Amino acid sequence: MDTKKIRWFTVAFIAFNMVWGMGNVVNNFAQQGITVVTSWILILALYFVPYALIVGQLGSTFKDSKGGVSSWVERTSTKRLAYYAAWTYWVVHIPYLAQKPQAILIAFGWIGRGDGQLVSLMSVPLVAVLSLLIFLLFLWLATKGLNTLKVIGGLAGTAMFVMSLLFIVMAVSVPFISKNFAIATPDMGNISTYIPKFDFSYFTTISMLVFAVGGAEKISPYVNQMKSPAREFPKVMIILAAMVGVCAILGSIAMGMLFTSGNLPEDLMANGAYAAFQMLGEHYGIGNSLMYVYALTQGIGQIAALAFSIDAPLRILLADADPQFVPAWLRKTTAKGTLINGFVLTGILVSIVILMPLLGIGNMNELVKWLTNLNSVVMPMRYMWVFFAFIMLNRAMKHFTSEYKFIKQKRLAMLAGVWCFLFTLLACVLGMVPKVDFAANPSAWWFQLTSNILTPVVLILLGMLLPFIARREQRKSNDLV
């Protein structure tokens, strides 16, 4: 029996691969500069550690649940709320899917030209049209099944993980290798360099940090596959937090060595990772080889992520959807089992988000920043259901059995759940504030604020509309009978 159990360090590695990526370092450094080092320490201690341990208890309690967060919500509250949890999990992927075609264009632009100019020189309408065509192509391919591409994508994801670690090792080592290397950010040996200014502008960036460390609920199926979850899972989370912390802090320091904090390039979110590998290659005397490997890995990984993220979240929402809340036309499948109308709805919503920049985005760099920040506002909405389920679990703890418990004292456990829920909510709301200078470009500021508010509101309202349609559909069916 024990031979089938997963060792704790294996679970820690799986969790790290699911949660972490180099984009987390680049995007947050682009918003906060070198002061993000302090932000990483705070977010890990105050948010990520309790978040991960909460997931551990939920996974241990509902070890036979296959629906993830929506199953946790259903077991602790109602089917209606479970539907909204499943809807949220699916619908937050809409802006995510809208961003993937741009990431593909950027990656292959670096492969084709060896720099980030290909996409940067394009007009926003051209980028939008090309992104729409790429998305529609993969939407069509997703209806045909893309198992081979998903396997390749898994390999690319592992390669990307290795590249992220390689970046840290090479960047931290480069001062000892290259005599011509000069650290870009001044006073990196001074602690005051790393202290943020805790003003309103700073707090509008915390959604990107929450977005970066989210996703721990994906490891819940592995909790009860360990030999002793109660003893080993806290160890897994401590190791996971340590690995994320080391990579976040050292990765940010590495970025500070390569880019001048306080005077960052406008295209850092779009091209920062590629430029970083290009710089390292030059200092190590191997030219653009590192950049090309990263760009190829990134391009393939983004293609696979696009294909997988069209199909998988949709199946979670619709495969076993309750007819009380999801209309029959949306649950319709073809002879091959394809959720055809679900793909159509996905296509409509993602196409709208892809074309939205035509109304108020001036250039490619602004477009990348806006979509990245929009994702940081929308994606964490699904994490709130994790904390809701944990709060409800502790309200009725006597009815459930948990082999592993985060906090045994009921009130303290509920307080931890409420804290994480409210912190996530606050991060999402503050993240809606545009990151562009109002005085420099008021029209872009208002467009981004409006779109950042309306996008999550409209997506949630659409989810509330479907149960109403389902009830009308059922009434008509009963009248015919």
Side-chain angles (χ1 to χ4, degrees):
M1 184 74 175
D2 289 346
T3 58
K4 296 182 180 180
K5 297 294 183 180
I6 300 178
R7 301 298 299 273
W8 65 269
F9 50 81
T10 303
V11 178
F13 180 79
I14 292 171
F16 183 59
N17 209 1
M18 286 180 172
V19 169
W20 197 247
M22 186 169 173
N24 296 328
V25 173
V26 176
N27 291 336
N28 282 285
F29 186 84
Q31 292 206 143
Q32 294 191 19
I34 198 64
T35 61
V36 76
V37 170
T38 300
S39 298
W40 283 124
I41 295 171
L42 292 174
I43 200 76
L44 289 169
L46 299 176
Y47 183 78
F48 179 65
V49 171
Y51 172 19
L53 295 175
I54 282 170
V55 167
Q57 182 170 340
L58 287 165
S60 175
T61 306
F62 305 114
K63 54 189 174 184
D64 299 321
S65 298
K66 297 180 180 180
V69 178
S70 60
S71 293
W72 299 343
V73 173
E74 182 175 350
R75 295 282 297 277
T76 57
S77 55
T78 66
K79 286 186 177 181
R80 178 175 293 277
L81 289 175
Y83 155 73
Y84 286 124
W87 172 263
T88 303
Y89 182 88
W90 172 73
V91 85
V92 296
H93 284 81
I94 298 301
Y96 177 81
L97 289 171
Q99 191 176 27
K100 289 302 166 189
Q102 295 172 18
I104 293 169
L105 285 173
I106 292 170
F108 285 98
W110 276 87
I111 293 172
R113 286 179 53 107
D115 59 35
Q117 293 300 306
L118 179 64
V119 177
S120 296
L121 294 174
M122 291 181 183
S123 66
V124 170
L126 179 58
V127 172
V129 170
L130 289 176
S131 297
L132 181 60
L133 292 175
I134 291 171
F135 168 71
L136 292 176
L137 171 64
F138 281 96
L139 181 68
W140 176 74
L141 290 173
T143 66
K144 308 300 179 184
L146 289 167
N147 292 329
T148 302
L149 184 57
K150 290 172 186 177
V151 172
I152 296 172
L155 296 174
T158 302
M160 183 59 65
F161 167 70
V162 173
M163 291 294 289
S164 299
L165 298 182
L166 183 64
F167 166 72
I168 295 171
V169 172
M170 294 185 72
V172 173
S173 303
V174 72
F176 306 100
I177 302 296
S178 175
K179 295 180 180 179
N180 299 322
F181 180 78
I183 295 177
T185 300
D187 298 322
M188 287 189 67
N190 192 333
I191 293 178
S192 63
T193 303
Y194 302 91
I195 305 302
K197 184 180 179 182
F198 294 103
D199 55 9
F200 180 75
S201 179
Y202 170 83
F203 287 106
T204 65
T205 66
I206 60 174
S207 63
M208 192 70 73
L209 292 163
V210 171
F211 181 31
V213 298
E217 66 274 5
K218 295 176 185 176
I219 68 171
S220 60
Y222 302 100
V223 175
N224 289 286
Q225 292 183 35
M226 291 187 291
K227 186 175 181 179
S228 176
R231 180 172 55 86
E232 294 183 339
F233 191 76
K235 189 187 299 184
V236 169
M237 290 299 99
I238 291 170
I239 297 297
L240 173 61
M243 288 194 295
V244 169
V246 168
C247 288
I249 292 168
L250 291 183
S252 300
I253 290 172
M255 289 293 290
M257 294 168 66
L258 296 172
F259 300 95
T260 306
S261 181
N263 187 28
L264 298 174
E266 284 294 319
D267 65 342
L268 191 64
M269 276 194 184
N271 296 315
Y274 303 95
F277 275 110
Q278 192 173 53
M279 291 179 192
L280 289 176
E282 291 172 359
H283 286 295
Y284 276 87
I286 53 177
N288 284 337
S289 55
L290 280 175
M291 181 274 291
Y292 283 124
V293 172
Y294 177 80
L296 183 61
T297 303
Q298 177 77 342
I300 294 172
Q302 294 297 318
I303 287 172
L306 175 58
F308 184 75
S309 297
I310 289 173
D311 182 61
L314 189 63
R315 291 192 179 278
I316 291 174
L317 173 66
L318 299 180
D320 297 310
D322 193 322
Q324 294 181 68
F325 310 111
V326 181
W329 61 267
L330 189 55
R331 292 181 280 114
K332 179 183 177 183
T333 58
T334 64
K336 294 182 179 180
T338 302
L339 293 159
I340 187 64
N341 288 334
F343 280 104
V344 171
L345 181 60
T346 302
I348 293 171
L349 294 177
V350 174
S351 297
I352 291 171
V353 176
I354 288 175
L355 296 176
M356 275 171 61
L358 298 178
L359 300 176
I361 297 292
N363 58 64
M364 184 62 188
N365 294 328
E366 195 177 305
L367 175 58
V368 172
K369 289 180 184 178
W370 167 69
L371 255 183
T372 304
N373 279 289
L374 179 61
N375 271 291
S376 78
V377 169
V378 175
M379 192 63 78
M381 288 164 51
R382 63 181 175 142
Y383 311 154
M384 288 191 286
W385 286 109
V386 175
F387 307 128
F388 171 80
F390 182 71
I391 294 167
M392 299 305 290
L393 170 65
N394 281 278
R395 282 190 63 187
M397 197 66 237
K398 62 182 180 181
H399 301 299
F400 300 99
T401 302
S402 302
E403 187 173 348
Y404 162 72
K405 284 189 177 181
F406 167 34
I407 298 174
K408 293 182 180 179
Q409 213 285 328
K410 179 179 176 179
R411 290 184 179 179
L412 286 178
M414 291 187 68
L415 184 62
V418 170
W419 157 253
C420 289
F421 182 94
L422 293 178
F423 187 87
T424 309
L425 178 62
L426 180 66
C428 291
V429 172
L430 291 176
M432 294 176 180
V433 179
K435 309 306 183 291
V436 297
D437 184 4
F438 178 81
N441 196 342
S443 61
W445 192 93
W446 280 112
F447 166 77
Q448 292 191 29
L449 179 65
T450 304
S451 59
N452 288 348
I453 295 172
L454 286 182
T455 301
V457 169
V458 169
L459 293 177
I460 291 170
L461 288 177
L462 182 59
M464 297 175 69
L465 181 63
L466 290 182
F468 173 74
I469 297 173
R471 285 197 300 272
R472 288 194 61 185
E473 188 179 75
Q474 289 180 334
R475 281 200 296 267
K476 287 183 179 179
S477 178
N478 292 335
D479 290 342
L480 291 174
V481 173

